[in-house]
Amino acid sequence: RFSSWGRRINSFSTAAAAIDEPIHPSIQIDHTQLLINGQFIDAASGRTFPTVDPRTGDVIARVAEGDLEDINRAVAAARKAFDEGPWPKMTAYVTSRIMLRFADLLEKHAGEVAKLETWDNGKPYEQAAKIEIPMVVRMFRYYAGWADKIHGFTVPADGQHHVQTLHEPYGVCGLIIPWNFPLLLYSWKVGPALACGNTVVLKTAEQTPLSAIYVSKLFHEAGLPPGVLNVVSGFGPTAGAALSSHMDVNKLSFTGSTATGKVVLALAAKSNLKPVTLELGGKSPFIVCKDADVDKAVELAHSALFFNQGQCCCAGSRTLVHESVYDEFVEKAKARALKRVVGDPFKTGIEQGPQIDNEQFKKILKYIRSGIESGATLESGGEQFGSKGYYIQPTVFSNVQDDMLIAKDEIFGPVQSISKFKDLEEVVQRANASSYGLAAGVFTQNIETANTLTRALRVGTVWINCYDIFDAAVPFGGFKMSGQGREKGIYGLSSYLQVKAVVTPLKNPAWL
């Protein structure tokens, strides 16, 4: 559970850590090629692209750059594996056992996987190793348990007919994952897609391709047949667009920005009208009511925003505080941000590593300048941390108005925006006055207040006196421009299944 991270790491929070010579992780990069039909191969063009260490800007490795021809090869392999190969002929029980063996291998190699995730992404190693990789293992075990429990229904008909429904896989699923939680989103998509009997072509984020390639190798070691899971690294306008518009892909699932999600949806519609699951941007309100325990609310709001360097789609990025506790909250939020430990994510006790890349780094600093220029009060941070890499000081703004860019746009960085409200009617109206609707946090000791806000907020998840609880069984997804469809839990299965009705006449039935 992500929310426990802030409480555990707080024991280390005394001052910002100095950034010395970065630690070199003890892992060798063995696989940088595309994985198609069970084999590691070069891109058809022979091109590669660099994946970069966000702590320094240095190149970690060069990775095969897949494009249209590679997507065609991967889809052909997935198509054959679904239509002709062993995958559709396997029982669901065998599918489940392969997924469980993969989870065991992933658990065995958790240290190496966490190192790759930290090196390529910049997230704290302790976060990756102790929280995220165990969550990935749990997700695959969860969906392995579902594989042999997917079934349809018998349906009573008015006439003399036997009616049943079959829940069947779509076929070839195109899955596009983001860079902020590469392996978590890998598990959210690959897990249910395979459990439902589909085959997969996965496109990794160009910023973070290494961990998905590594764990997909482990999946084949677990007994996954060739062609069932294919991995293509590449860029959105080439590989991503080719996958989204491919006429032989039957289903798409995309996690990323709302702007890119619109492009993916349009390409799917213009090609073969394939269904699309979208988990997109957010500007989630974190509401601190007048009866809140301010110290606990400050810590939870801090974790809700700054977790994963603020690079979280459901980050509690609009902190709305009741006027009666506002001043106390701001002072304590500022003090907490000043204690946040920033530094090399491979070091013990680090809470915050670098942003993902130079583009994101510059974008965040631009939003910080916008907040200052629009009249918000800069309480802490606001600048680069250190002189090397993409580190940003934990930043807190107070007196933020709803028409400011920092209050409206998804910053995707360590920037907390704190606003004041008077009553529930006002805060509901302001919280809902957003094009996004991914999540919300409510901090109150009053059950009536909690119930009112739970039903009034137009979002996909409401966390009451907690935040970032991502249990495998809990569905996740957004309202409005935060997306469509749900991932995780039993609801995640419906994204990868289609329903067929079968009607058979009955002659002289004993009963109807």
Side-chain angles (χ1 to χ4, degrees), residues 386-397:
S387 58
K388 191 174 185 180
Y390 309 127
Y391 296 88
I392 291 179
Q393 295 173 344
T395 299
V396 175
F397 280 105

Side-chain angles (χ1 to χ4, degrees), residues 26 97 111 149 163 181 328 338 444:
S26 56
R97 292 185 64 187
K149 301 171 187 66
V163 183
F181 295 103
E328 179 186 1
L338 289 171
T444 179

Side-chain angles (χ1 to χ4, degrees), residues 169-326:
Y170 277 100
V172 177
C173 294
L175 311 179
I176 304 174
I177 58 175
W179 49 259
N180 57 334
F181 295 103
L183 282 185
L184 273 179
L185 273 297
Y186 178 103
S187 70
W188 289 17
K189 298 181 188 299
V190 174
L194 295 186
C196 291
N198 299 281
T199 57
V200 167
V201 177
L202 175 83
K203 193 204 86 73
T204 61
E206 55 266 31
Q207 298 90 341
T208 54
L210 296 178
S211 57
I213 298 172
Y214 182 95
V215 300
S216 296
K217 173 187 74 78
L218 296 180
F219 223 139
H220 284 81
E221 290 180 15
L224 195 70
V228 175
L229 172 60
N230 307 274
V231 180
V232 178
S233 50
F235 294 88
T238 50
L243 186 60
S244 301
S245 58
H246 204 290
M247 294 296 292
D248 220 10
V249 171
N250 306 113
K251 162 73 186 184
L252 276 178
S253 181
F254 169 82
T255 297
S257 71
T258 296
T260 305
K262 290 180 179 180
V263 174
V264 168
L265 190 60
L267 291 173
K270 289 177 181 178
S271 53
N272 58 349
L273 205 61
K274 60 180 75 63
V276 184
T277 298
L278 299 171
E279 196 267 280
L280 307 176
K283 193 68 178 176
S284 300
F286 186 100
I287 300 170
V288 180
C289 299
K290 60 184 179 181
D291 63 343
D293 181 318
V294 174
D295 290 331
K296 291 181 179 178
V298 164
E299 185 60 37
L300 195 60
H302 179 88
S303 174
L305 186 282
F306 289 102
F307 180 77
N308 205 53
Q309 293 70 251
Q311 297 169 155
C312 190
C313 54
C314 59
S317 52
R318 287 187 291 157
T319 309
L320 301 165
V321 183
H322 191 270
E323 60 184 5
S324 64
V325 294
Y326 179 82

Side-chain angles (χ1 to χ4, degrees), residues 375-389:
T377 303
L378 181 65
E379 300 285 350
S380 67
E383 299 178 355
Q384 180 179 6
F385 180 82
S387 58
K388 191 174 185 180

Side-chain angles (χ1 to χ4, degrees), residues 386-421:
S387 58
K388 191 174 185 180
Y390 309 127
Y391 296 88
I392 291 179
Q393 295 173 344
T395 299
V396 175
F397 280 105
S398 64
N399 299 314
V400 176
Q401 304 304 311
D402 291 352
D403 59 351
M404 296 178 180
L405 289 180
I406 59 172
K408 296 190 298 182
D409 291 1
E410 185 179 37
I411 300 173
F412 228 60
V415 182
Q416 185 178 28
S417 300
I418 308 176
S419 302
K420 183 189 299 184
F421 74 90

Side-chain angles (χ1 to χ4, degrees), residues 333-346:
K334 172 183 177 179
R336 178 63 182 92
L338 289 171
K339 291 180 180 179
R340 187 168 183 80
V341 185
V342 183
D344 186 338
F346 279 106

